[in-house]
Amino acid sequence: MIELLGWVPFLPFLGFLILAIAGERLSRRLIPWIGAGSVGISALLTALIGAQFLKGAMPPYRLALGSWMAVDNLSVPFGFYLDPLSMTMLFVVTGVGFLIHVYSAEFMESDPGYARFFAYMNLFVSAMLVLVLADNLVLLYLGWEGVGLGSYLLIGFWYEDPNNGYAARKAFVMTRAGDTSMAIGLFLLFTQLHTFDIQSVMTQATNLWTPGTVLPVAAAALLLGGAVGKSAQLPLQSWLPDAMAGPTPVSALIHAATMVTAGVYLIARTHALFMLAPSVQFAVAVIGAVTLLMAGCSALAQTDIKRILAYSTISQIGYMFLALGVGAWSAAIFHLLTHAFFKALLFLAAGAVILCFHHEHNIFRMGGLRKSMPLAFLSFMIGSAALSGLPFTSGYYSKHEILLAAFEVSPVLWTAGCLGALITGIYSFRLVFVAFFGPQHAQVEKSPGWRMSAPLLLLCILALAGAMLEIPLASVFSALAADENLHELNTVSAITVAAPFIGVLIAGLFYLTGAFSTQRLESLVWIRQIQRFFFSGWGMDAFYNILLVRPFKTIARLNKNDAVDSIYSATAFLSLMFHRLFSSLQTGQVRWYASSMVLGTIVIIAIGWLS
Amino acid sequence: MILLALILVLFLGGLAAWFSERWNPEAPRWVAVITLSIESLLVIVQYSASGRIDYLSAGMPQAWIADFQGAWIPRFGIGFHLAADGLSLLLIALTEFLGFMAVSSSWTEIRERQGFFFFNLLSCLAGTIGVFLALDLFLFFFFWELMIIPMYFLISIWGHENRIYAAIKFFIFTQVSSLLMLVAIVALVLKHHSNSGVYTFDYFDLLNTRLEPDVALWLMAGFFIAFTVKLPAVPFHTWLPDAHTQAPTGGSVILAGVMLKTGAYGLLRFVVPLFPEAAHEFAPIAMMLGTISVLYAAVMAFAQSDLKRLIAYTSVSHMGFILLGIFSWNFLALQGAVITMLAHGISAAALFMIAGALQERLHTREMERMGGLWSAIPHLSAFTLFFAMASLGLPGLGNFIGEFLVLVGAFGVNASLTVITALGLILAPVYALIIIQKAFHGPTRQYAGLRDFSRRELASFGLLVLIMVWLGIRPQAVLDISAPAIKQDIQNTQAMENG
């Protein structure tokens, strides 16, 4: 079975090809069968491969599919590498991906670009699978850019609105900035270690490089640049909230469950390199901690249901970075797994609300949806509980592991994480209380059919019990297994568990019981200012606009006619002037010629006489 | 003999096309198709014969595939020496293929004086192939000029509103720079004569000319400027946006796809091998010009509102990678430069064909007057998206392989310049995606009588896409063809520098 691994990414690609070539000419009944079907078979295949793989001792499996390029000592094969880490990612991508595709079959049904949508989705899934399976950094980069393309195409899917196009380009260019850093990292690694094969790079680096020296630090920092861009972490996070311009299933698949976690995967995949660069690894933890707090605060101030979820995604990936930074590699991947379940659930439930509720995004215009949309309500309750990390949900186990591991390294990081958990509790239940409780403001148009309901139900189960699907990753991160045997610290543990409850309580006092009123708070000027600051995502967009975008546009506009060309135009202009001058002297009048001859003679004589 | 036929068939075919117009005004384009088909057969025959010794005269190094030597002006040591190695064969194949594309895109666009148009098109191709084959410097110069004059006519007769200005600008830039090259050629020959007492223009004889360092630097500069004007690199690039905007589509295809590559070819074939030490001295400056080209042209491309002008600037940006790669002068970077030549040939030609197709339909190149085209002409739009992605260097497509190899190779030579050049990778989507945004996305508008791609256009673009993907997924086939030639060049210069 495992030899069929190559089909897992190829089937969605085949789906893409069929949908892209035949396009909207296909019958609308057939389109979802191809689009979701290709991913479905992929998921089935993954399950079979996984069953076989997990039964054994799980030695890494390599699949060589031929050579891509070989020049001199550079050789890049099309090769896949399956170990527990890529297996986990395969499950997430094909499993959650399939559920989202089924959901999309109904969600996008009335859209004129039905086939185009599934074509893009399949392309994305295929690229994501290449990314996680690649055995070398160049093939990984192919998947890495491929998911960027998928993300661009799907954010800008509704292309008639120029704002969507802007959001799509912003996402592409900002992540490309990170990608370029990563590409330079690749050049550095190759120039030093003469291979792109990930496992060889890691062994070579460990053998040749002393920890903390320039080379590993530079290489790790450059790869971190790529990870930060794709995973929307500080300072390249501001594209993600705008990426919500795409259809909601896209946000669930790309901007929650899969693509944005690619950075986490990259760091986990190259963890040996990061261990050689302790300063960079610590930077990962700090970036994670700061990002999770910043994004959490921003989520508090949003009113758009999707933007709340977008900021919460940034914040949760911050937790994963925090875990990576403190060396809790398995915990990071574990949180990646559970986050994929509960965040996909939340996004899909939000999509159901939006679709059935007049395409409304503002939670304050919803209200009371508890009764009219019971399934969405259930989904949001379970999803938010898991997001906040309340006990007995999948999110609890993964987040708890991260926070305890953070405490081992630094109580400050732990405090940030706990504070983040408290904020998570507030913003996620603020959403639930505002949208689903209280008086209903408008009627629901329709209720979701089975293709939307079934994925929601399944994801509800996964969000609750998904923690049981954890795949032992000890063999991947073997060197560190000891570090992760945490001591149970009773007080610390208790605070960690309590933090989200306090958050939920605060949210309840403000938005459910009305014991505290937000209006009273908002009457204070400084609160309003802070709220606006948080709402704008800490002014990052304005910062980049002033620092980069506007100067770039201004320079480009001013130099539209190419300053270099003026050198040549000036030459042409001068020769034209001389031409005019000399031709105007050719008057054909004898008296002019005679007088100029006389003048010339006098001048020459004068020169001769004077010298 | 096949090498000679490669040039003659095109030239005679051009004459036949010209005269066939009297018989039927539609005939020339068919004559052009037949000529190019014969030509392709010749290329295939020559390629399949590679490795067979009977095409090669005694004494030619093994990296060469075939050669042809005839006497021309023996008094001055000028011979009719043609030879092909893997590199020239690849570029000739590209020329043939883009010849078909140029004919296809001129099929309905050119309505007047079709005979003379196809004569110019084919003789321009003949000159280009001559450039790729000539191994006698005088003969090389002859073909270099032969290729420019038909292009001048293509622009000045069938061009757009400002064609005369553009054609003259093109002509002056290339003439002045090739004059510098002629002076350098003659000086090199005289220098060789004073060393050895023999007049010769032959490439292999001149390869080992001993030169004083400052003389070598000046002579190299003569060649360098001629080739970087053609490439073009900043600051010699300003003829290109004008020439491209004004040229008919077929002319743009040839200009961007093939003619710019003669500059790259010249740098690779002549500048570095003839003057290895001088080129080595000069490499940091040349590489810096490459870096500046990549970045400056990318910013310029973003600023344009004329679609063809934008694409022209992207060409300058891509050529910067080639300049960087060639002057890095190692196997990786050079192979990258070769792939970039081919891949850019395909992607730029395709983008110019798209611009031409849009102009034929909308009678404008201004992107401000487009917008929302996706729903009106989905096929054309999807192909544009594909080639925009190719142009921004998406892995899996040809340009990525080229740029990647160039950057990997250059990183070992000059890491800081490579890092700065890599910033071009961030600017590429900025200019490539603005095309999609301005012309194809945005609110749907009503366009009268707008039709999507015809079958002829679908077939042409389908082929372009296939080749682009093939270059991106299986570049090895191409890399293997050029490898012996590149290895030979590197060995030669190393031998010179050591000896």
Side-chain angles (χ1 to χ4, degrees):
Chain A
M1 215 61 215
I2 204 161
E3 319 77 57
L4 296 178
L5 185 63
W7 286 92
V8 174
F10 186 67
L11 281 167
F13 189 74
L14 209 62
F16 158 72
L17 281 184
I18 296 171
L19 290 165
I21 292 169
E24 311 296 339
R25 277 168 293 177
L26 285 169
S27 96
R28 288 181 81 81
R29 290 174 59 83
L30 195 62
I31 290 168
W33 282 101
I34 299 172
S38 63
V39 182
I41 303 175
S42 238
L44 193 68
L45 203 57
T46 306
L48 293 172
I49 291 173
Q52 188 189 345
F53 185 74
L54 295 176
K55 218 164 26 184
M58 299 192 281
Y61 173 77
R62 274 176 184 270
L63 181 70
L65 296 165
S67 162
W68 186 7
M69 51 184 142
V71 183
D72 224 7
N73 61 347
L74 177 150
S75 84
V76 180
F78 285 111
F80 290 155
Y81 182 84
L82 189 69
D83 67 351
L85 176 58
S86 36
M87 196 70 236
T88 311
M89 295 301 289
L90 274 194
F91 277 129
V92 172
V93 177
T94 58
V96 177
F98 174 61
L99 293 180
I100 294 172
H101 273 73
V102 173
Y103 175 96
S104 308
E106 185 179 330
F107 189 88
M108 297 299 289
E109 203 164 30
S110 53
D111 196 283
Y114 203 34
R116 192 163 60 91
F117 178 80
F118 275 108
Y120 291 169
M121 290 284 270
N122 278 1
L123 177 67
F124 168 81
V125 170
S126 177
M128 189 69 205
L129 289 167
V130 170
L131 193 166
V132 300
L133 282 172
D135 74 346
N136 65 74
L137 288 164
V138 188
L139 192 60
L140 187 147
Y141 188 76
L142 179 139
W144 192 267
E145 291 290 291
V147 292
L149 168 65
S151 162
Y152 162 77
L153 293 171
L154 286 161
I155 296 170
F157 180 76
W158 288 313
Y159 55 79
E160 297 210 343
D161 183 352
N163 291 329
N164 297 350
Y166 182 80
R169 276 179 297 134
K170 181 177 175 186
F172 197 97
V173 174
M174 280 189 83
T175 51
R176 190 75 190 256
D179 301 355
T180 303
S181 153
M182 177 180 160
I184 296 169
L186 261 56
F187 305 149
L188 178 68
L189 284 172
F190 179 78
T191 318
Q192 294 297 325
L193 304 172
H194 312 293
T195 176
F196 279 119
D197 185 85
I198 298 174
Q199 302 308 317
S200 319
V201 168
M202 293 308 128
T203 20
Q204 293 255 30
T206 319
N207 292 339
L208 295 176
W209 288 346
T210 333
T213 48
V214 176
L215 285 174
V217 168
L222 287 164
L223 291 190
L224 175 61
V228 156
K230 246 341 168 233
S231 291
Q233 297 293 293
L234 202 72
L236 293 176
Q237 83 284 37
S238 65
W239 62 270
L240 188 62
D242 289 341
M244 296 299 117
T248 310
V250 172
S251 314
L253 178 63
I254 301 182
H255 306 117
T258 56
M259 184 187 86
V260 287
T261 58
V264 179
Y265 170 77
L266 176 72
I267 297 178
R269 182 47 90 203
T270 57
H271 66 278
L273 182 64
F274 280 82
M275 285 165 61
L276 292 174
S279 51
V280 180
Q281 203 194 339
F282 189 67
V284 174
V286 173
I287 288 174
V290 176
T291 311
L292 77 88
L293 284 175
M294 280 177 69
C297 292
S298 289
L300 279 177
Q302 304 301 316
T303 53
D304 181 320
I305 188 167
K306 284 183 75 182
R307 284 180 87 90
I308 297 174
L309 293 177
Y311 276 111
S312 100
T313 303
I314 300 176
S315 171
Q316 294 305 306
I317 297 172
Y319 277 103
M320 297 175 209
F321 268 62
L322 175 63
L324 295 168
V326 300
W329 314 104
S330 311
I333 298 300
F334 187 27
H335 195 56
L336 187 160
L337 179 79
T338 59
H339 174 256
F341 298 143
F342 63 72
K343 192 51 71 59
L345 172 67
L346 284 170
F347 264 116
L348 293 187
V353 171
I354 291 166
L355 189 71
C356 302
F357 204 70
H358 324 281
H359 294 275
E360 180 57 68
H361 281 227
N362 189 336
I363 53 169
F364 287 97
R365 287 196 220 127
M366 296 173 179
L369 292 178
R370 183 164 39 110
K371 295 201 191 78
S372 46
M373 298 195 70
L375 181 61
F377 174 61
L378 177 72
S379 306
F380 257 98
M381 282 304 282
I382 293 174
S384 302
L387 171 62
S388 318
L390 300 185
F392 308 113
T393 62
S394 61
Y396 165 77
Y397 298 101
S398 52
K399 203 179 272 182
H400 200 70
E401 255 184 54
I402 293 177
L403 289 175
L404 291 188
F407 187 81
E408 294 277 296
V409 172
S410 148
V412 179
L413 292 174
W414 171 78
T415 314
C418 283
L419 195 59
L422 179 123
I423 296 172
T424 311
I426 303 178
Y427 70 69
S428 47
F429 279 89
R430 166 179 173 260
L431 192 164
V432 172
F433 295 149
V434 170
F436 290 92
F437 290 84
Q440 191 162 351
H441 293 300
Q443 278 306 306
V444 169
E445 273 175 347
K446 52 184 169 185
S447 56
W450 72 268
R451 285 171 301 176
M452 278 165 73
S453 310
L456 282 176
L457 278 172
L458 277 169
L459 284 169
C460 279
I461 297 168
L462 286 170
L464 281 176
M468 288 193 286
L469 296 179
E470 189 184 9
I471 296 173
L473 295 169
S475 63
V476 183
F477 308 117
S478 53
L480 304 133
D483 280 356
E484 295 187 35
N485 286 334
L486 302 162
H487 320 282
E488 272 302 299
L489 295 157
N490 287 327
T491 5
V492 171
S493 192
I495 295 174
T496 312
V497 176
F501 281 107
I502 301 169
V504 178
L505 188 69
I506 295 173
L509 290 176
F510 269 105
Y511 297 100
L512 192 62
T513 63
F516 294 120
S517 143
T518 46
Q519 267 127 25
R520 281 240 324 269
L521 272 181
E522 279 166 15
S523 62
L524 298 168
V525 176
W526 63 275
I527 291 274
R528 273 210 307 277
Q529 275 168 347
I530 288 181
Q531 192 198 14
R532 219 171 296 140
F533 181 61
F534 285 168
F535 183 80
S536 72
W538 296 57
M540 288 299 279
D541 282 332
F543 176 73
Y544 282 126
N545 266 331
I546 292 166
L547 197 73
L548 291 170
V549 179
R550 259 189 245 152
F552 178 80
K553 280 187 170 169
T554 314
I555 292 171
R557 201 184 55 239
L558 288 178
N559 195 30
K560 187 183 175 189
N561 293 324
D562 207 339
V564 178
D565 199 34
S566 49
I567 302 169
Y568 301 107
S569 322
T571 318
F573 179 76
L574 276 181
S575 28
L576 191 68
M577 283 302 115
F578 278 116
H579 156 80
R580 294 235 173 96
L581 181 69
F582 291 131
S583 58
S584 67
L585 292 178
Q586 284 201 317
T587 52
Q589 287 173 317
V590 178
R591 60 162 190 258
W592 261 104
Y593 294 158
S595 49
S596 58
M597 273 165 74
V598 170
L599 196 69
T601 319
I602 292 170
V603 169
I604 289 167
I605 291 171
I607 290 170
W609 182 61
L610 286 172
S611 60
Chain B
M1 280 313 277
I2 297 179
L3 299 185
L4 186 62
L6 279 172
I7 298 166
L8 279 182
V9 164
L10 278 177
F11 194 69
L12 294 176
L15 283 177
W18 195 356
F19 287 112
S20 69
E21 193 182 11
R22 297 183 188 179
W23 169 57
N24 180 343
E26 305 283 280
R29 59 194 196 192
W30 285 107
V31 175
V33 169
I34 294 166
T35 310
L36 285 167
S37 309
I38 300 173
E39 187 80 2
S40 308
L41 274 179
L42 288 175
V43 175
I44 292 167
V45 169
Q46 185 62 74
Y47 171 67
S48 54
S50 55
R52 270 168 52 194
I53 210 75
D54 45 336
Y55 283 92
L56 210 58
S57 6
M60 285 285 283
Q62 276 305 307
W64 297 85
I65 292 166
D67 79 329
F68 171 84
Q69 302 195 2
W72 192 12
I73 315 172
R75 220 185 122 189
F76 296 119
I78 296 172
F80 203 92
H81 189 182
L82 304 174
D85 61 359
L87 173 65
S88 33
L89 209 59
L90 284 174
L91 289 170
I92 288 169
L94 177 74
T95 311
E96 295 312 326
F97 176 70
L98 291 182
F100 275 112
M101 292 298 124
V103 171
S104 163
S105 51
S106 310
W107 203 256
T108 53
E109 187 188 278
I110 303 301
R111 287 268 157 234
E112 283 165 23
R113 303 171 74 179
Q114 293 191 27
F116 192 47
F117 177 86
F118 285 105
F119 167 72
N120 279 312
L121 192 70
L122 291 178
S123 36
C124 187
L125 293 177
T128 315
I129 289 184
V131 164
F132 291 141
L133 288 176
L135 275 195
D136 180 284
L137 264 61
F138 191 82
L139 187 65
F140 175 78
F141 187 76
F142 170 76
F143 284 125
W144 186 261
E145 293 293 305
L146 193 68
M147 142 186 104
I148 291 168
I149 292 158
M151 182 51 77
Y152 170 78
F153 284 123
L154 286 180
I155 299 173
S156 64
I157 298 178
W158 292 274
H160 304 302
E161 65 282 354
N162 207 2
R163 55 182 179 269
I164 302 292
Y165 169 78
I168 292 178
K169 196 170 181 181
F170 163 74
F171 197 73
I172 292 177
F173 265 84
T174 43
Q175 282 306 301
V176 170
S177 61
S178 55
L179 183 68
L180 293 177
M181 177 165 70
L182 182 63
V183 172
I185 291 176
V186 173
L188 179 65
V189 169
L190 291 178
K191 199 74 197 163
H192 185 265
H193 173 73
S194 70
N195 284 354
S196 63
V198 186
Y199 281 114
T200 178
F201 281 79
D202 196 85
Y203 176 72
F204 292 106
D205 296 335
L206 293 174
L207 267 185
N208 301 312
T209 311
R210 285 259 151 236
L211 298 167
E212 296 81 40
D214 51 336
V215 176
L217 199 63
W218 281 105
L219 296 187
M220 189 214 64
F223 281 86
F224 180 81
I225 289 175
F227 294 136
T228 34
V229 166
K230 202 44 138 324
L231 191 60
V234 175
F236 307 121
H237 64 283
T238 64
W239 61 273
L240 186 80
D242 285 308
H244 267 309
T245 0
Q246 300 305 324
T249 310
S252 285
V253 168
I254 299 300
L255 196 57
V258 187
M259 215 179 254
L260 305 188
K261 309 304 175 298
T262 61
Y265 173 82
L267 291 172
L268 226 170
R269 175 75 81 217
F270 296 104
V271 171
V272 185
L274 286 175
F275 314 101
E277 292 99 346
H280 188 75
E281 288 280 300
F282 187 64
I285 298 172
M287 287 168 80
M288 195 178 295
L289 283 181
T291 303
I292 293 171
S293 297
V294 168
L295 299 177
Y296 183 79
V299 180
M300 289 305 300
F302 170 74
Q304 305 306 314
S305 56
D306 181 316
L307 181 54
K308 276 183 129 183
R309 246 187 137 72
L310 191 160
I311 304 167
Y313 275 110
T314 69
S315 287
V316 180
S317 184
H318 286 128
M319 292 301 107
F321 282 102
I322 293 187
L323 193 55
L324 182 77
I326 290 177
F327 279 86
S328 301
W329 203 254
N330 59 43
F331 195 50
L332 281 173
L334 286 176
Q335 286 282 50
V338 172
I339 297 280
T340 305
M341 286 188 214
L342 301 173
H344 171 264
I346 303 290
S347 71
L351 285 174
F352 276 118
M353 286 165 73
I354 285 163
L358 283 174
Q359 185 165 20
E360 211 181 333
R361 289 165 170 79
L362 303 168
H363 309 288
T364 181
R365 299 183 304 267
E366 274 300 315
M367 289 189 294
E368 307 296 338
R369 292 211 250 151
M370 301 175 187
L373 284 171
W374 193 291
S375 39
I377 38 176
H379 289 147
L380 195 157
S381 312
F383 279 113
T384 314
L385 179 66
F386 178 88
F387 287 107
M389 286 301 151
S391 176
L392 66 79
L394 190 79
L397 305 178
N399 298 51
F400 167 75
I401 307 284
E403 286 164 19
F404 178 76
L405 290 177
V406 164
L407 291 173
V408 174
F411 192 85
V413 178
N414 191 334
S416 45
L417 269 185
T418 308
V419 170
I420 300 171
T421 312
L423 296 180
L425 300 181
I426 307 175
L427 297 179
V430 175
Y431 65 64
L433 298 181
I434 203 79
I435 303 178
I436 304 295
Q437 182 62 44
K438 282 189 178 167
F440 298 95
H441 287 174
T444 309
R445 292 197 222 166
Q446 288 301 315
Y447 295 96
L450 193 60
R451 57 180 177 78
D452 208 344
F453 271 158
S454 65
R455 285 202 181 161
R456 169 179 54 81
E457 288 168 313
L458 279 177
S460 305
F461 278 92
L463 267 178
L464 288 163
V465 166
L466 284 180
I467 293 184
M468 201 67 201
V469 172
W470 180 70
L471 273 176
I473 300 289
R474 305 254 353 123
Q476 201 59 44
V478 171
L479 291 168
D480 287 342
I481 296 176
S482 59
I486 302 289
K487 268 199 185 117
Q488 174 102 39
D489 273 347
I490 293 175
Q491 275 163 11
N492 281 347
T493 49
Q494 274 169 353
M496 286 266 316
E497 279 179 3
N498 298 337

